[in-house]
Amino acid sequence: MNFPQFAFNNVKRNGRAYFAYFLSSAFTVMIFFTYAVFIYHPQLDRSLMGPMTRAGMQAAAYVVFVFSFFFVLYSISMFLKSRNKEFGILTILGADSSQINRLIFLENMLVGAASIVTGIFSGIFLSKLFLLISMKMTGMEDLPFYWPFRAILLTAGSFALLFLVISLLTLLFIRKNNVLELLNGSKKPKKEPKLSIWLCLLGIVLLTAGLMALRIGELEPGNIFIAAVTGIAGTYLFYSQLTVLVIRIVKRSRKRVWRGTRLLWVSEFSYKLKDNARMLFLVTVVTSVSCMSAGFVLSFEQENRAYYLNDPSAIRFTSYSLENIDNELKVIDGILKEAGVSYKQLETETFYVSLKGMPRYYVEPISVSQFNKIADTYNRGLTRMEALQPGEAAVFYTKNPGGKKIPAGTIELENLPGALKVTQTRTEESLVSMFSSGTLLVLEDNEFKRLKAESEKENRISSRRFAFVVPEWNTGKLPEFDSPESIAGKKLLEWHDELQKKRQTDSFISTRAHSFLQLQQATSLFRFIGVFIALIFSISTASFLYFKLHTELAADSQMYRALSKIGLSAGEMRKSATVQIALLFFTPIVVSTVQTVVVLGPVMNRFGVANSLGPALIASAGFLAAQAVYFVIVRSRYVRTLNKWMV
């Protein structure tokens, strides 16, 4: 038997340990290959969403590759620690360090090569299915199957380099222990987990600082950075220190702990938490990032649907010049008549103005009479306003203000004379289609005329806005690409684009259907990319846990065998092992869910999205379901091995 055969037999004999690592690596290669198939697809440039899809796939491929590097490096280093005894025996038999290094290198490359071949062949076999799924999810045109030679070369070359570099790096981190230390392996008695009250307090302070950075004041990029740094550091201290403190407090209650197998798993889990702190920390960070990303996309999709359904205006037209406005309105009228629909036309005049003491907070004033015309036309539960007195104002928030609200009492407008008394405040999301600033200021008619005249003296930009309400298109259903509203909207946008190219207009037009479908395509693309990246993260986190449990399996088996000799039943053993494995699998999910809910709310408010709790919980539930499947599989394999050790 030559040396390569010896390395191959080693991999085959350690198949149980290598299986999860091989499966995760092959799946990662397959996803990377799938993205490469999209990147090099010849039909992509002909699609409207092609450039955006290619950019998204390239970014996803980079994420997968970088994550794969750290995942493979961590997995190999963890697996090698469980083989110290094997390396000690080889050393006794005469193997020197260079031969052991060569053995490890060949084993890593064998598993890497098998992962690359399996991943690419699986990707080719499933590529047509992925193309069909992508077309369905992103709304793209037909993407036929083709032989992806460039994708094969890119995937094989990239991952061959990855496994080669990691195999070489692994050799640098192998500890040069003596033979006795290697033979002892993991038999050294565990020391009681150390606890530092100061580090516990620091962890609490860091987590509190992250929460305060998100909740206090206006959310800026600097606040998000502070929250990310303190949150990550606080999460590590939570696992390495705070959990040890909690376990010690729990163990003090003998009435609760000294019952059945509870004493066994509580005592053993206190060591497992400390030993697995780094691994649990990594799993939590990866899961939190995935849940936040999924919640972010789901929140925007939910907001996009609500925005369309709450918006009664099918078309919005704004003109900043009076020269061509009549001709442009005639074209809009002609396209709507060609579509065979009747419509109601609304017109408003307004301008932007900021509030004193609230910089960069702009409002749009309109008169009571204009507001009541909108209320009569919309017929969406928007009630008419009673007459206001000069000097009075009503505030309407057209979307979630994201923490910014006009204080009650008297307000003043920047560079405009007079003060206004706010008499009422309401939220009306249906007005956002005509008033995009987010805050509408309704004034008495003469008061509005006075302020508008003062505004024109200041050369402020004013505009005439038109909204076209088409009752036949307000059915409560979401539009399709071939629906009458989408077709008419596409004609209007193409006509207006031609005017802009020729510089023959000073206006802006938008259609409700196009805005919805465009954002839906973008979020669908990110959802499609995110689903597969989330699958990689999910499978990889399960692999982390599997590796860690496998390395501890020998010690656990010996412990349960000793306990069985003094009366521990097989059922009690299974119960104790199940509780410990469940805590290892589901603690990161619980922590990441809390982090997702805490972080996603303020971030989505910053983007004007009010409800993010539901999407955050849906994303976390998806990871919980996946983790439950992995838990059942790992637990059954773990308990089956322990059963063999029972007396």
Side-chain angles (χ1 to χ4, degrees):
M1 181 174 63
N2 56 32
F3 205 85
Q5 288 176 330
F6 181 60
F8 175 78
N9 289 334
N10 259 348
V11 172
K12 188 167 63 174
R13 293 189 191 100
N14 287 286
R16 179 178 295 175
Y18 272 122
F19 178 73
Y21 165 58
F22 163 75
L23 188 65
S24 302
S25 299
F27 185 78
T28 303
V29 172
M30 184 185 71
I31 298 301
F32 183 91
F33 173 75
T34 303
Y35 289 148
V37 169
F38 280 98
I39 292 171
Y40 294 118
H41 200 289
Q43 292 289 111
L44 210 58
D45 291 328
R46 304 175 189 176
S47 173
L48 181 64
M49 288 288 290
M52 186 177 183
T53 303
R54 174 171 284 120
M57 295 295 181
Q58 286 175 338
Y62 295 147
V63 171
V64 170
F65 190 78
V66 172
F67 178 78
S68 301
F69 179 86
F70 291 105
F71 165 71
V72 173
L73 182 63
Y74 182 81
S75 300
I76 290 177
S77 63
M78 187 186 299
F79 180 61
L80 290 178
K81 289 179 181 179
S82 66
R83 299 178 62 190
N84 281 342
K85 186 175 181 179
E86 178 185 336
F87 296 147
I89 294 174
L90 290 175
T91 303
I92 291 175
L93 294 175
D96 57 27
S97 59
S98 62
Q99 290 176 315
I100 293 177
N101 288 345
R102 183 183 173 198
L103 175 66
I104 294 170
F105 178 82
L106 287 175
E107 289 182 10
N108 292 341
M109 292 306 296
L110 281 171
V111 177
S115 301
I116 292 171
V117 173
T118 304
I120 290 177
F121 271 97
S122 301
I124 293 174
F125 181 73
L126 297 174
S127 58
K128 181 59 180 178
L129 176 62
F130 283 123
L131 290 172
L132 291 174
I133 293 173
S134 69
M135 289 159 46
K136 183 69 175 177
M137 292 183 69
T138 62
M140 294 180 61
E141 299 175 0
D142 184 39
L143 295 176
F145 175 79
Y146 75 105
W147 279 104
F149 295 108
R150 294 174 67 186
I152 293 173
L153 291 175
L154 175 66
T155 305
S158 299
F159 278 88
L161 179 63
L162 182 145
F163 283 108
L164 177 62
V165 171
I166 288 179
S167 298
L168 293 173
L169 285 176
T170 304
L171 303 180
L172 300 177
F173 297 119
I174 296 176
R175 293 180 58 189
K176 308 301 180 184
N177 295 329
N178 58 44
V179 177
L180 182 60
E181 289 177 335
L182 291 172
L183 289 174
N184 284 331
S186 58
K187 290 183 179 179
K188 296 179 181 179
K190 294 181 179 179
K191 298 179 181 179
E192 185 179 6
K194 293 182 179 180
L195 176 65
S196 171
I197 297 298
W198 294 110
L199 289 178
C200 288
L201 292 175
L202 178 60
I204 295 173
V205 169
L206 288 172
L207 292 174
T208 304
L211 178 62
M212 300 297 283
L214 293 170
R215 299 288 176 176
I216 294 180
E218 186 175 350
L219 189 62
E220 298 291 345
N223 299 58
I224 297 176
F225 178 77
I226 292 172
V229 172
T230 56
I232 291 173
T235 301
Y236 179 76
L237 291 176
F238 168 79
Y239 283 114
S240 62
Q241 297 295 325
L242 290 172
T243 53
V244 177
L245 177 63
V246 171
I247 291 292
R248 286 195 181 182
I249 294 173
V250 170
K251 289 170 70 174
R252 289 180 180 178
S253 176
R254 293 193 175 188
K255 291 183 179 180
R256 295 182 179 179
V257 176
W258 288 36
R259 289 187 178 182
T261 59
R262 192 175 299 175
L263 176 61
L264 173 61
W265 69 257
V266 169
S267 300
E268 183 64 17
F269 191 65
S270 63
Y271 291 93
K272 286 187 180 294
L273 268 178
K274 183 68 175 180
D275 293 341
N276 298 313
R278 186 180 302 175
M279 183 268 299
L280 292 172
F281 162 72
L282 292 174
V283 171
T284 300
V285 170
V286 169
T287 306
S288 295
V289 171
S290 301
C291 287
M292 290 176 194
S293 302
F296 189 85
V297 173
L298 291 174
S299 295
F300 268 112
E301 287 187 333
Q302 176 181 278
E303 185 72 10
N304 189 31
R305 290 192 294 269
Y307 187 92
Y308 175 86
L309 296 174
N310 290 330
D311 183 4
S313 306
I315 301 166
R316 297 171 293 278
F317 178 70
T318 304
S319 177
Y320 298 96
S321 172
L322 300 178
E323 296 179 5
N324 301 315
I325 190 169
D326 292 333
N327 293 330
E328 291 175 348
L329 288 174
K330 287 180 181 178
V331 174
I332 297 173
D333 175 73
I335 292 177
L336 288 175
K337 286 182 177 178
E338 183 183 341
V341 295
S342 59
Y343 65 90
K344 298 177 182 179
Q345 179 179 312
L346 278 172
E347 179 182 355
T348 61
E349 291 187 74
T350 186
F351 55 94
Y352 289 103
V353 62
S354 61
L355 301 181
K356 282 187 178 180
M358 300 181 70
R360 294 184 298 174
Y361 191 112
Y362 291 92
V363 299
E364 295 177 84
I366 67 166
S367 64
V368 172
S369 59
Q370 290 184 85
F371 179 88
N372 287 335
K373 286 181 182 179
I374 296 172
D376 294 339
T377 305
Y378 273 9
N379 193 24
R380 288 288 186 98
L382 186 62
T383 57
R384 292 173 59 90
M385 281 195 62
E386 297 180 359
L388 292 172
Q389 299 299 320
E392 292 182 345
V395 174
F396 285 80
Y397 296 114
T398 62
K399 58 183 178 181
N400 179 54
K404 278 188 174 181
K405 292 186 177 180
I406 296 176
T410 303
I411 60 172
E412 294 184 47
L413 305 180
E414 194 71 41
N415 298 324
L416 291 178
L420 298 171
K421 182 181 179 181
V422 178
T423 58
Q424 56 178 297
T425 302
R426 287 158 58 184
T427 299
E428 293 289 350
E429 294 184 2
S430 61
L431 293 170
V432 71
S433 60
M434 294 191 67
F435 306 100
S436 57
S437 68
T439 306
L440 183 65
L441 201 64
V442 183
L443 307 173
E444 188 267 339
D445 287 6
N446 292 326
E447 186 76 26
F448 172 77
K449 292 177 182 178
R450 181 184 69 81
L451 290 176
K452 188 173 184 297
E454 294 288 343
S455 175
E456 290 173 352
K457 293 179 183 178
E458 296 285 336
N459 293 321
R460 296 178 186 270
I461 297 176
S462 60
S463 61
R464 292 179 65 187
R465 300 184 183 183
F466 299 86
F468 296 83
V469 179
V470 182
E472 295 178 39
W473 292 344
N474 292 335
T475 60
K477 297 181 180 179
L478 299 176
E480 301 290 342
F481 285 95
D482 57 351
S483 63
E485 181 181 359
S486 301
I487 295 172
K490 185 178 180 181
K491 291 181 181 179
L492 283 169
L493 293 173
E494 289 174 349
W495 157 73
H496 195 262
D497 286 342
E498 287 296 322
L499 291 182
Q500 287 186 324
K501 289 178 182 178
K502 298 176 182 179
R503 298 185 177 181
Q504 295 178 354
T505 185
D506 189 14
S507 61
F508 172 79
I509 191 171
S510 65
T511 64
R512 180 181 59 179
H514 178 264
S515 299
F516 169 79
L517 293 172
Q518 190 177 42
L519 185 56
Q520 185 188 48
Q521 275 193 319
T523 54
S524 297
L525 172 62
F526 287 116
R527 185 176 70 245
F528 173 71
I529 293 171
V531 163
F532 292 108
I533 292 182
L535 279 174
I536 291 175
F537 287 172
S538 181
I539 292 176
S540 299
T541 55
S543 298
F544 287 153
L545 293 163
Y546 178 84
F547 281 136
K548 196 64 178 175
L549 289 170
H550 183 272
T551 57
E552 298 172 350
L553 187 57
D556 289 350
S557 299
Q558 293 173 6
M559 179 191 68
Y560 282 109
R561 180 178 178 82
L563 289 172
S564 69
K565 291 180 179 180
I566 61 176
L568 182 72
S569 67
E572 290 173 327
M573 179 275 294
R574 286 194 296 270
K575 180 180 178 181
S576 176
T578 299
V579 171
Q580 293 182 62
I581 296 172
L583 288 172
L584 286 176
F585 265 82
F586 297 117
T587 298
I589 298 293
V590 174
V591 175
S592 65
T593 300
V594 174
Q595 291 180 340
T596 301
V597 171
V598 169
V599 172
L600 202 59
V603 172
M604 297 312 299
N605 281 339
R606 183 69 174 81
F607 288 95
V609 178
N611 184 16
S612 60
L613 179 60
L617 294 178
I618 291 173
S620 298
F623 276 89
L624 177 63
Q627 202 76 339
V629 174
Y630 305 143
F631 162 73
V632 171
I633 296 172
V634 172
R635 182 258 178 198
S636 64
R637 293 172 66 91
Y638 187 89
V639 171
R640 191 183 307 123
T641 303
L642 288 182
N643 281 330
K644 298 176 182 178
W645 288 76
M646 298 295 289
V647 175

